[in-house]
Structure formats: C-alpha cells, structure tokens
C-alpha cells in the first residue's frame, strides 16, 4: 500500500522528513535499516518515514527499559516523578501549535480538534504528576499482636500499544499513569500516526527522564507490536485498538500469564426520548457520531430515537449533516477531515455499501466527489436500521450513523444493550426519574446524560463486555500499573509452638 500511494503523488524527496525512534535515550534507526512511509491523509502524499522496528529493535528497547527499572527508576521518589510529568505537560503547552499542526497533517483531523487534543494530553500529564505523590498502601486491622499493611509497587516494564485516532492523547493516557506508578515502558504508536510522539520525545531528556524509562518504538503491528507482547521482560500490556488484535494479544500474553488491559472500542447507543430538548438532541447525535470523523472508540453511532419524534429527528439530523464542512484539517473552517488512511477509507466505504443494502440513506452514503485527493467519506446517516444489521452491530470507525426507532423505555434499553460491546452510552431526556432508570439499566462503562463524548482525566474510561477490561484515567488508570504487596509483621515474640 505504501509504495503505490507514494508513487501516485509527486512529493519532492526534500519534503519528506526522516524520523528516528527513541530507544535508551537516543534517536535511532531500525537495526535492519528498514523504514515505512507516513502520509498526509488530505493529500495522500508521503510526509515522513519512520524506522520499521523488528524483534531485535524491540529487544533493545525492552532491555533498556528493564535496566532503567532495576537501575534506579524504581527508587526515584513520587515527588521527582511528578515534577517530570509536570514538565512534560509544560512542554506540550509550549509546543501546542507545532504539535497540533503536525497531528492534523498526519491524522487528518481538524486543527481545532488537534488543539484540544494537545490541551487534553497536557492535562493528563498534570493529573498524573499530582497523583504520583498520592500512591500509598493501607494499614489493615489485624489482631493487636501484629501489624499488617499493603505496599503499592510498580509492575515493571510495561508494553503499550496505541491507535491512530488520538495519537498524542492516547500516548498520554498510557505514559502518564505508568510513570506515576514508577514503571518504565516501551510504547508503540500506530504506524499511521507516529509523528507527534516522536516530536515530544525530543524533550524527554530535558524534562529529566533517564535513558530507557520511556522508549518509543515505531513499526508494524504484528512485527513490532507482536515482539513487545511476546518479550519475557515485559510484565504488562496496555492496548487500545481493535477487538481482533485484542484477542491475538490476549492469546499471546496467556503463555506468560502477562497482565493485560484493553480498550477495544464499541458500538455505543445514543438514546433520544421524545421529551428531550429537540435542537440539543439533534446536535448531540451529530456530535456523538461525527466528531473526529467518527474515528472514536466511544462514537455514539447507534442512534436510538423514540417513535413519536423519529421522522422529524431523522429529517433534522440529515439536513444538518449535509451542512458539515469537509476539508483539509489545517483549514480552520473544516468540521470534518479525511479519514486517517486509504485502508480505513476503504473499510468505511465497504460498510456504506453494506448499509445501502440494509437500510435507507438520509444523508451522505458515499465518498464526496469534489476532492481529487484525500481519503474523505461523507457524513452518513442510515435510518430504519434494524438492530441486527451489520451497520448496527459492528464498529465502523468512520462518520456513519445508524438510526433505530424504539417504542418505549423498555424497548430502548433492550436495543441499547443488544450488542457484544459495552464501552459507552448516552441518554437524552428531561425526566430525571427516567434518566436514572436508564443509567442503571445500561451495560456500559461510561454513561452520559444529555451529552455525549465529554471526557475528563479525573473519571474512569473503559468498557463492559467485549469492549475490554481495566480502566484508564483517574486513579483507576494508575492501578493498572501497580502491584499490591501484603506485609505482615509479627509483634508476638513467644515461640510459634506448633511443632
Ligand atoms: P489495530 O487494532 O490493528 O491497531 C491498533 C494498534 O495495534 C496499532 O498500533 C497496531 O500497529 C497494533 N497492532 C496491530 N496488530 C497487532 C498485533 N498482532 N500485535 C500487536 N500489536 C498489533 O487497528 P486498525 O487496523 O488500525 O483499525 C481497525 C479497526 O479497529 C478500526 O476500524 C476500528 O474499528 C478499530 N479500532 C479501535 C480503536 C479504539 O480506540 N478502540 C482504535 C483504532 C482502531
Ligand atoms: Mg489492524
């Protein structure tokens, strides 16, 4: 895919930046010298190359992380780790426009969204900078002739594999809690979007991170990601991505009984009762599905609408969807950019074809004709969708909404819970009794009322059912990187006297 797409576009060699990965405090190439191309989704042109790490490069990175862990990082105080995290946040804030621009050029997303992403990434480092000094055990109420307590200790080297939809934010969600816990790590960004993390790595030494504490390895999923998962010195894997890869990782990790935590996306219901504020509801449906081109794990792509407002709702949502401005992400007027890759554009286009056979089209439904370059997909609304349809059950990860009518509260809850996933859900109503009843009945790790998508570093993020396990963010996020040691101290000096 990379070589043909590169050949299609006439990008001068000089415009392509050659990045290195960051291992043991140094920027290095892959041992075998292999690289892969990185694209601008709005031009389809190659903008950079990155090292394609093989197993030997991953081994070098993991060994560096292991040396750093046992060589001193374990005993660096929470205060000092916290200060490093604060400095990382400062660097992101100082480089906000540079990093946001690069994120947009590399991922396709609107610049305004990238700027918010940089703020979110910085806030995440700040939150865990504060938390680094608040990780402690508990004293346990054992009998008077003993003392018992718990100690919290870092699990060791963490392997972290992240996706391309929120590149620097996903890196922050992984790196920040692991550093707060006292772990060292090898993180692999997605092969589509490795650039902003490599840019941030330029500051790792200056903020006080010793060599080997955070290693950034770039490369292909099965090769570089697979090598991280299989490495004997990696104690824990944190993964965000597809369910298919989550299953592979879980099988591979099983051999070593390696700890895993997963965020595997979803097919989240966004439920609209007829008493909801109508204008807000329509906006909320569009925002919930189309933000970040719909490339969002918690996308509210199953829109459930009560029958008495159903027709009016579909018409209003379709009319608004048709006004969403598509274009290159760097244009500040752009509300939706191209999808991240040719592969993702084709995958979503495949679902549009399936959807046209399964339901009716209210808006979009194809690729826009007015761009001669760029992996664009029209914001699409399917309606009269049956909940058993593929477009109602499978994660599409693009700007595609499936609208499903429902009769009453029981019907809405039944449909909402009827997928294998359980990441997020939202309910829109002005009836507080109903809101709470529905909140309690939904099987989802995140439930919003009268909004969809707001995400705060203080609050836990993760899913029920096939959406994964473990939680990121908040104090839950740091738990994933900690072991609990139970300590018992005998205060009774007389012999045990059993034998
Ligand atoms: P993916 O799951 O293949 O990629 C995510 C990360 O896993 C990347 O860093 C990739 O290099 C790595 N990876 C891939 N195969 C691996 C393996 N065998 N061992 C270790 N690491 C591996 O996701 P992809 O192919 O980019 O997107 C496919 C679908 O996955 C999307 O259409 C979407 O439905 C879902 N997805 C969900 C995300 C979420 O936030 N939960 C994020 C990205 C994709
Ligand atoms: Mg994949």
């Amino acid at each position: 895919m990379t070589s043909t797409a590169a050949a299609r576009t006439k990008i001068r060699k000089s415009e392509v930046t050659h990045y290195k990965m960051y291992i043991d405090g140094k920027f290095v190439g892959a041992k075998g010298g292999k690289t892969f191309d990185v694209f601008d989704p709005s031009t389809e042109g190659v903008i950079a190359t990155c090292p394609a790490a093989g197993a030997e490069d991953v081994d070098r990175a993991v060994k560096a992380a292991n040396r750093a862990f046992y060589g001193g990082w374990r005993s660096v105080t929470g205060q000092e780790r916290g200060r490093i995290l604060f400095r990382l946040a400062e660097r992101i804030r100082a480089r906000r426009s540079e990093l946001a621009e690069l994120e947009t050029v590399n991922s396709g997303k609107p610049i305004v969204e990238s700027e918010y992403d940089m703020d979110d990434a910085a806030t995440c480092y700040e939150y865990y900078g504060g938390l680094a000094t608040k990780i402690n055990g508990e004293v346990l109420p054992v009998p008077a002739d003993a003392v018992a307590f718990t100690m919290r200790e870092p699990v060791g080297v963490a392997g972290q594999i992240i996706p391309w939809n929120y590149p620097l934010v996903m890196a922050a969600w992984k790196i920040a809690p692991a550093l707060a816990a006292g772990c060292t790590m090898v993180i692999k960004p997605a092969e589509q979007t490795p650039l902003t993390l490599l840019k941030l790595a330029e500051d790792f030494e200056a903020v006080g991170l010793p060599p080997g504490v955070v290693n950034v390895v770039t490369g292909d999923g099965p090769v570089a990601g697979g090598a991280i998962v299989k490495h004997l010195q990696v104690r824990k894997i944190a993964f965000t991505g597809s369910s298919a890869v989550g299953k592979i990782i879980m099988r591979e990790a099983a051999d070593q009984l390696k700890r895993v935590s997963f965020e595997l996306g979803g097919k989240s219901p966004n439920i609209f009762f007829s008493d909801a504020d109508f204008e807000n509801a329509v906006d909320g449906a569009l925002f919930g599905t189309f933000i970040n081109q719909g490339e969002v794990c918690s996308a509210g792509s199953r829109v459930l609408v009560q029958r008495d407002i159903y027709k009016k709702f579909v018409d209003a949502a379709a009319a608004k969807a048709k006004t969403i401005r598509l274009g290159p992400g760097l244009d500040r007027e752009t509300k939706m950019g191209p999808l991240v890759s040719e592969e993702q554009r084709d995958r979503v286009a495949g679902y549009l074809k399936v959807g046209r056979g399964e339901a009716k089209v209210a808006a979009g439904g194809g690729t826009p004709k007015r761009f001669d370059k760029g992996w664009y997909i029209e914001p699409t609304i399917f309606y009269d969708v049956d909940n058993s349809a593929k477009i109602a059950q499978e994660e599409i990860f693009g700007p595609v909404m499936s609208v499903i009518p429902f009769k009453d509260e029981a019907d809405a809850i039944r449909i909402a819970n009827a997928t294998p996933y359980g990441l997020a859900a939202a309910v829109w109503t002005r009836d507080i009794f109903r809101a709470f009843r529905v909140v309690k009945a939904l099987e989802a790790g995140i439930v919003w009322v009268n909004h969809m998508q707001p995400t705060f570093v203080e609050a836990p993020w993760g899913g029920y059912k096939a959406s994964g396990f473990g939680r990121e963010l908040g104090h839950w996020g740091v738990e994933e990187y900690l072991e609990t040691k139970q300590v018992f101290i005998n205060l009774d000096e007389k012999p045990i006297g059993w034998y």
Side-chain angles (χ1 to χ4, degrees):
M1 157 201 142
T2 48
S3 53
T4 52
R8 267 209 316 274
T9 52
K10 294 191 188 68
I11 294 271
R12 285 199 315 277
K13 268 265 167 345
S14 60
E15 291 172 17
V16 177
T17 312
H18 303 288
Y19 282 76
K20 298 246 164 83
M21 53 191 175
Y22 189 74
I23 297 177
D24 204 11
K26 292 188 197 68
F27 283 95
V28 297
K31 223 170 182 169
K34 270 181 50 180
T35 63
F36 62 93
D37 292 338
V38 179
F39 296 85
D40 173 343
S42 70
T43 64
E44 305 180 19
V46 178
I47 51 168
T49 69
C50 283
E56 65 281 9
D57 302 297
V58 168
D59 183 56
R60 190 155 48 128
V62 174
K63 282 182 175 148
N66 202 56
R67 268 196 312 276
F69 183 70
Y70 290 104
W73 183 247
R74 256 197 322 176
S75 31
V76 169
T77 62
Q79 289 185 5
E80 182 51 21
R81 294 200 308 276
R83 281 190 286 267
I84 289 171
L85 284 156
F86 291 135
R87 281 183 224 123
L88 270 171
E90 269 169 36
R91 290 309 301 149
I92 294 173
R93 295 203 188 280
R95 299 175 74 182
R96 183 179 191 251
S97 24
E98 173 206 354
L99 291 170
E101 196 167 299
L102 184 62
E103 197 80 299
T104 283
V105 169
N106 187 189
S107 69
K109 70 171 72 190
I111 184 71
V112 179
E113 293 188 32
S114 287
E115 287 167 353
Y116 285 128
D117 284 5
M118 297 310 114
D119 299 342
D120 286 347
T123 305
C124 182
Y125 287 106
E126 284 157 358
Y127 177 89
Y128 285 105
L131 197 64
T133 49
K134 292 157 198 75
I135 297 166
N136 51 250
E138 292 167 71
V139 177
L140 308 168
V142 290
D145 57 358
V147 172
F149 57 91
T150 56
M151 293 171 74
R152 308 309 307 276
E153 295 179 341
V155 294
V157 177
Q160 306 177 317
I161 299 172
I162 59 170
W164 40 259
N165 55 340
Y166 286 91
L168 206 65
V169 173
M170 289 293 105
W173 286 23
K174 300 277 187 285
I175 294 172
L179 284 177
C183 290
T184 61
M185 66 218 71
V186 175
I187 181 165
K188 192 194 87 61
E191 53 276 36
Q192 297 84 351
T193 56
L195 302 187
T196 45
L197 181 56
L198 291 174
K199 273 281 162 200
L200 185 63
E202 294 169 351
D203 287 325
F204 283 178
E205 196 180 333
V207 301
L209 279 172
V213 172
V214 182
N215 302 275
V216 183
V217 165
T218 53
D220 174 64
V223 178
I228 293 173
V229 174
K230 286 181 215 112
H231 202 291
L232 284 166
Q233 288 176 344
V234 172
R235 294 275 174 77
K236 179 235 157 53
I237 296 291
F239 170 73
T240 301
S242 64
S243 307
V245 172
K247 290 177 192 172
I248 294 172
I249 292 178
M250 197 158 167
R251 278 190 211 106
E252 286 176 350
D255 266 350
Q256 299 166 25
L257 292 170
K258 191 171 287 187
R259 284 144 183 68
V260 292
S261 54
F262 289 151
E263 204 266 69
L264 305 175
K267 192 72 187 177
S268 300
N270 198 359
I271 309 167
F272 297 91
F273 286 95
S274 52
D275 69 332
D277 179 289
F278 189 79
E279 287 304 315
N280 260 343
V282 171
D283 253 9
L286 299 184
F287 186 80
T289 318
F290 296 143
I291 190 87
N292 206 50
Q293 300 77 237
E295 296 165 317
V296 181
C297 50
S298 56
S301 55
R302 272 192 313 143
V303 169
L304 278 49
V305 184
Q306 197 157 21
R307 281 229 183 263
D308 28 348
I309 55 164
Y310 178 70
K311 185 73 182 68
K312 188 174 155 207
F313 192 97
V314 171
D315 291 345
K320 246 187 174 164
K322 287 173 188 163
T323 69
I324 293 175
R325 184 160 160 159
L326 258 69
L330 286 182
D331 180 347
R332 298 199 80 85
E333 301 300 309
T334 289
K335 278 280 168 23
M336 192 186 289
L339 300 196
V340 72
S341 65
E342 189 171 20
E343 182 190 9
Q344 193 62 15
R345 193 271 316 271
D346 291 348
R347 185 180 288 143
V348 175
Y351 275 109
L352 295 183
K353 190 161 171 240
V354 170
R356 289 193 297 266
E358 286 182 328
K360 296 179 188 137
V361 179
T367 48
K369 302 287 169 283
R370 65 182 180 285
F371 302 101
D372 51 319
K373 283 266 177 278
W375 296 308
Y376 293 96
I377 289 277
E378 291 173 330
T380 295
I381 300 179
F382 289 114
Y383 68 108
D384 286 1
V385 180
D386 189 273
N387 195 48
S388 65
K390 261 171 107 82
I391 57 164
Q393 290 291 314
E394 295 180 17
E395 183 176 57
I396 297 176
F397 232 67
V400 185
M401 182 192 295
S402 297
V403 189
I404 303 170
F406 70 83
K407 198 168 85 231
D408 54 20
E409 195 176 306
D411 198 28
I413 292 165
R414 182 186 56 76
I415 298 169
N417 286 335
T419 75
Y421 289 112
L423 183 58
V427 51
W428 300 69
T429 175
R430 282 187 282 207
D431 176 343
I432 190 167
F433 298 98
R434 164 178 286 157
F436 273 95
R437 282 195 304 268
V438 176
V439 163
K440 288 181 82 172
L442 288 168
E443 293 180 317
I446 304 141
V447 182
W448 291 286
V449 177
N450 295 330
H451 210 320
M452 188 163 208
Q453 301 310 354
T455 302
F456 299 97
V457 65
E458 297 83 358
W461 186 270
Y464 285 24
K465 293 155 69 183
S467 290
F469 33 80
R471 291 292 181 273
E472 299 191 277
L473 303 184
H475 63 80
W476 297 267
V478 88
E479 293 291 329
E480 302 290 335
Y481 295 95
L482 292 169
E483 294 283 12
T484 300
K485 179 177 281 173
Q486 184 235 111
V487 183
F488 173 91
I489 300 172
N490 180 24
L491 302 179
D492 182 358
E493 290 190 64
K494 73 176 187 298
I496 297 173
W498 189 267
Y499 300 106

